[in-house]
Amino acid sequence: MASSSGWSRQFEELDLSDKSEYVTLPANEADHTTRASGFVSAVEKQIERSKAHWSTLADGSSGACTAEEDGEGDGKAEESNVHEFMQLQRHPTWGGFFRTFYGEDENPFDNGELVMGEKFAEGGQAELFHAKVTWRIPKDNDEDEYVVKVFKKGTFLRDLKSQLPHGFLQIHVEGMENYESPTPKVIPRYSCNVLRGILLKNGQFAFLMDKEDFDLRSLIERKMESRSDRDCGPFSKEDGELMMYDIALGVEWLHNRNIIHRDLKTSNVLVAEYQSGWPKWECFVADYECSIGIVGTGFFRAPEILQACKERMASQRPEVFSRAADVYAYGMTCYEVLTGKLPFGDHPLIDNKPLLTELVINQDLRPEIGEYVEGWARELLKWCWQCDPSARPTIGKILDLLLRNSVYVERQERSLKERYGDDYKYIPMSLYGNGS
């Protein structure tokens, strides 16, 4: 992972001189409440269930760093965020990513109008809301729905910007160059689209993202509940292998842009569901936009990361957050897809996490793989779970292995090549119209 020190210096050099406008939350949404009591109870139940696999932050906590925890009074984070956001808006290269949605034409940073909807999910750092956007440019308006990821009250934008991985904003630059090109390319997508960084009127920072149908963990739980035979995974052979392929493409897409995910798991994979056509589902890797502040989740983490966390040295050992660590987490994610289970979720020692962690680190303990999982897939998981990071496969080798062993993956690759060309896995800047 590249150092973020140079990145931070570029931010600090930005001008603080002008004021800007902010997104307005409807009055009954400003405190992140919802309207329908039945919906609230269902959401709260889902959130409570999801807490078991919330991400862990680099400081060892599971929640946002608040103004009080930072030693500052009420409102300090929100006041600070105003100045930080104005800096980001004026960056000469990626300032266009940080826009407002206040509906005032005289504001040069205003993209249109955003209306917040219901809260539907929550994580350790942020809450997720449905949203509708009316873009300033009429041709951009459609029936698409969006999601706003709002970082919890008291979160400092100055800390969040240091968590942006190298290459994250370059994705936005690539997309805008292609969009503005006289000959734009049809570009494959393997990750969640993070469209803008925005600031709410109350000073909270948020990301505006494309909406998908649900996350993969929710789909797995739904499928497992409907299974009469518990001695099998949640998906058919075809669907499971295609999901593994989609996720691998997403991880490779991030790695090609020097982004280490650091928290790969099915709850961080979004799913589009199709009523007709093939395949039935399409998966997109998500939640990579502030990855430097995350140290992963539970036993999705590679042994070297578990060791660093045990020693409380995770922030001092950035080298453990590597592509190889992502591959380990990819193996655990595929374990979810193939078995429906969380790593060690049914292990007898699951309530004794220190001992279980010791066994993972020092005794190469790994989740038990059901006999119903095909031999080649079992070997893939074991390869990803090697204790030595250098012994794990690259994502490229994983994609090759999937292609060799799955007729469904082979068919999907042919389809992608027909649509996007032989370079469907990674399109360099030279192929983006005026990006050459």
Side-chain angles (χ1 to χ4, degrees):
M1 168 66 74
S3 169
S4 62
S5 59
W7 176 275
S8 299
R9 283 196 299 272
Q10 291 183 67
F11 285 128
E12 291 166 2
E13 292 169 358
L14 297 177
D15 182 31
L16 292 173
S17 57
D18 295 330
K19 295 182 179 179
S20 60
E21 302 291 351
Y22 317 100
V23 175
T24 300
L25 284 171
N28 63 332
E29 297 292 344
D31 60 353
H32 295 173
T33 59
T34 51
R35 292 186 288 272
S37 59
F39 180 79
V40 170
S41 62
V43 168
E44 288 176 345
K45 183 177 179 181
Q46 177 182 328
I47 290 171
E48 191 63 31
R49 188 169 62 247
S50 73
K51 286 182 179 179
H53 46 90
W54 275 10
S55 308
T56 301
L57 307 188
D59 64 2
S61 68
S62 61
C65 176
T66 65
E68 290 77 9
E69 292 168 344
D70 199 66
E72 302 188 44
D74 291 340
K76 291 295 184 180
E78 288 69 28
E79 293 176 15
S80 172
N81 289 352
V82 172
H83 297 292
E84 298 290 346
F85 194 75
M86 287 191 294
Q87 285 183 319
L88 296 174
Q89 284 183 313
R90 288 163 176 78
H91 191 279
T93 304
W94 48 71
F97 178 78
F98 298 93
R99 311 297 289 186
T100 57
F101 288 88
Y102 199 45
E104 293 190 355
D105 293 339
E106 63 270 20
N107 178 8
F109 298 109
D110 185 2
N111 268 196
E113 193 166 12
L114 178 147
V115 176
M116 297 282 282
E118 305 283 3
K119 173 181 169 179
F120 67 92
E122 181 178 345
Q125 277 189 308
E127 299 168 303
L128 300 181
F129 295 81
H130 296 293
K132 295 287 284 186
V133 173
T134 303
W135 297 95
R136 171 181 284 185
I137 301 175
K139 73 172 185 175
D140 292 339
N141 288 311
D142 47 38
E143 296 302 316
D144 289 349
E145 296 184 8
Y146 301 91
V147 168
V148 177
K149 177 179 179 178
V150 182
F151 287 85
K152 292 182 177 178
K153 191 171 179 61
T155 302
F156 283 87
L157 179 53
R158 69 179 181 224
D159 296 329
L160 289 177
K161 72 181 185 183
S162 69
Q163 297 175 19
L164 299 175
H166 181 76
F168 167 65
L169 291 177
Q170 185 59 33
I171 295 170
H172 173 73
V173 174
E174 291 179 7
M176 290 306 296
E177 288 185 336
N178 182 61
Y179 174 79
E180 295 169 357
S181 168
T183 56
K185 307 294 182 182
V186 178
I187 300 170
R189 181 165 73 91
Y190 307 119
S191 69
C192 170
N193 270 342
V194 183
L195 303 173
R196 296 287 187 275
I198 60 179
L199 195 68
L200 305 183
K201 192 175 184 180
N202 64 4
Q204 287 176 264
F205 181 70
F207 286 115
L208 176 69
M209 305 181 292
D210 277 336
K211 179 184 179 295
E212 305 299 345
D213 293 309
F214 34 73
D215 67 78
L216 183 51
R217 184 69 235 170
S218 298
L219 177 60
I220 287 173
E221 290 174 355
R222 192 172 80 225
K223 297 293 287 184
M224 291 299 287
E225 287 173 359
S226 66
R227 288 284 193 190
S228 56
D229 179 9
R230 293 291 177 177
D231 194 24
C232 64
F235 303 112
S236 68
K237 171 180 168 62
E238 175 181 355
D239 292 333
E241 290 172 5
L242 289 172
M243 287 175 173
M244 292 165 65
Y245 182 61
D246 282 349
I247 298 167
L249 286 173
V251 174
E252 186 184 56
W253 186 86
L254 293 177
H255 285 183
N256 281 337
R257 286 155 175 80
N258 202 25
I259 298 173
I260 308 300
H261 192 287
R262 295 170 62 126
D263 196 23
L264 188 63
K265 54 191 176 184
T266 58
S267 57
N268 282 341
V269 174
L270 300 182
V271 181
E273 183 174 43
Y274 303 108
Q275 300 303 317
S276 60
W278 184 88
K280 185 187 307 180
W281 294 295
E282 191 173 8
C283 296
F284 305 101
V285 174
D287 210 29
Y288 57 88
E289 57 274 1
C290 281
S291 62
I292 293 177
I294 302 295
V295 296
T297 300
F299 293 104
F300 290 89
R301 293 176 287 190
E304 61 270 21
I305 297 177
L306 290 173
Q307 181 67 38
C309 291
K310 175 187 171 186
E311 297 171 354
R312 300 185 181 277
M313 294 291 291
S315 60
Q316 285 76 46
R317 298 185 57 195
E319 72 279 0
V320 301
F321 300 97
S322 64
R323 288 172 171 80
D326 272 358
V327 165
Y328 185 96
Y330 171 81
M332 289 298 177
T333 304
C334 289
Y335 172 80
E336 290 186 88
V337 170
L338 293 168
T339 69
K341 301 175 182 179
L342 293 169
F344 299 113
D346 56 359
H347 195 278
L349 293 175
I350 190 60
D351 293 326
N352 188 346
K353 287 187 171 59
L355 177 55
L356 193 53
T357 299
E358 286 289 337
L359 294 173
V360 170
I361 295 172
N362 297 313
Q363 301 297 325
D364 291 344
L365 179 67
R366 301 294 184 264
E368 183 177 347
I369 308 169
E371 292 297 329
Y372 52 84
V373 176
E374 285 194 69
W376 70 267
R378 295 165 63 89
E379 291 306 311
L380 171 59
L381 299 189
K382 293 176 182 178
W383 195 11
C384 293
W385 292 341
Q386 292 294 307
C387 188
D388 179 2
S390 66
R392 298 170 201 154
T394 63
I395 285 290
K397 289 182 178 179
I398 290 171
L399 285 165
D400 289 341
L401 186 148
L402 290 168
L403 184 61
R404 290 197 306 271
N405 288 278
S406 171
V407 294
Y408 310 111
V409 169
E410 183 183 19
R411 176 185 171 187
Q412 178 70 330
E413 186 191 60
R414 287 199 306 269
S415 175
L416 289 169
K417 284 184 175 181
E418 288 172 3
R419 184 173 183 186
Y420 302 112
D422 289 343
D423 206 9
Y424 69 97
K425 288 194 289 186
Y426 176 65
I427 298 181
M429 287 294 292
S430 61
L431 296 184
Y432 280 110
N434 64 353
S436 58

